Amino acid sequence: GYVDPEEVDDYVARLDDRASQLLAMLDDLLELAHLKNRQADVEHPAPVDAAALLKRVVARFRPRAEAHGLDLIVNLPARLEVAVQPTHLESLWSHLIDNALLYTPGGRVTVTAEAEGDTFTISVSDTGIGISMEELRRIFEEFYRSDAAREQVELGTGLGLPIVSQIVRIYQGAVKVDSTPGEGSTFVVSLPVIARDRAQDSGRLSTGLV
């Protein structure tokens, strides 16, 4: 009797959204705490096929991209080995791609990975809402979400980019952001890890079907 019968479905849907939001926040908080307390895990990482890992990550996001009419494009060598913890790499890509899809109402999201010398570079670019210069200074703060982000998506943990920043800090790397409001954003992560590009003679893969 607390809710009128005709409003039950709406209330249940809202409760489900909030519960999912709390679970997502809990997962992100646990991941962030783990990253802050386990930095020694990266001292002797085994080589991992980053190209194969990226394909698996993208496969999880592709149905969501297609449901929103977005092109999810991937550019990477046929094979790319890097010495990095695979869970860190998967988390890095997952949070960057998730953010790009969340805040891109139309157009495309492009993911690129390459190795040059001892530097492994990851780029995630979108044609979304963009970020103002004032907001760029705060996007890696825990729980921070810009006004434009809240207008675009009501729910969000504000922890995805802090997790990205913490992973980059662990590897003593760097993350750069180039963004224009209303045009989109590009996040470029550089990790100074031992990397080896094993692209075959066929050259680079550039496809939206990975």
Side-chain angles (χ1 to χ4, degrees), residues 4 12 24 34 40 43 58-59 63 66 77 86 102 104-105 113 121 123 132 141 149 152 157 174 176 181 195 198:
D4 292 335
V12 170
H34 176 80
E43 289 183 356
V58 170
E66 292 174 349
L102 273 177
T104 303
T121 303
S123 172
S132 70
E141 295 179 11
Q152 177 70 25
T157 67
K176 297 180 180 180
R198 286 188 172 181

Side-chain angles (χ1 to χ4, degrees), residues 57-69:
V57 171
V58 170
R60 296 204 309 265
F61 286 98
R62 190 166 298 286
R64 187 170 128 201
E66 292 174 349
H68 289 84

Side-chain angles (χ1 to χ4, degrees), residues 103-124:
Y103 304 116
T104 303
R108 66 186 178 279
V109 172
T110 304
V111 185
T112 302
E114 61 183 356
E116 184 174 350
D118 291 339
T119 301
F120 178 48
T121 303
I122 298 165
S123 172
V124 177

Side-chain angles (χ1 to χ4, degrees), residues 29-51:
L29 282 169
L30 289 172
E31 181 179 5
L32 190 57
H34 176 80
L35 289 169
K36 289 180 177 179
N37 293 324
R38 299 292 295 276
Q39 296 191 15
D41 285 353
V42 302
E43 289 183 356
H44 302 289
V48 59
D49 184 353

Side-chain angles (χ1 to χ4, degrees), residues 21-101:
Q21 170 74 356
L22 289 172
L23 286 172
M25 183 173 293
L26 180 59
D27 287 342
D28 285 349
L29 282 169
L30 289 172
E31 181 179 5
L32 190 57
H34 176 80
L35 289 169
K36 289 180 177 179
N37 293 324
R38 299 292 295 276
Q39 296 191 15
D41 285 353
V42 302
E43 289 183 356
H44 302 289
V48 59
D49 184 353
L53 191 152
L54 176 56
K55 292 177 185 179
R56 293 196 297 271
V57 171
V58 170
R60 296 204 309 265
F61 286 98
R62 190 166 298 286
R64 187 170 128 201
E66 292 174 349
H68 289 84
L70 299 174
D71 293 325
L72 183 51
I73 303 167
V74 179
N75 299 298
L76 70 159
R79 182 170 176 80
L80 177 63
E81 274 195 359
V82 294
V84 61
Q85 289 289 346
T87 54
H88 292 165
L89 197 54
E90 181 175 358
S91 179
L92 194 68
W93 266 319
S94 294
H95 285 294
L96 288 175
I97 295 173
D98 180 56
N99 259 25
L101 292 177

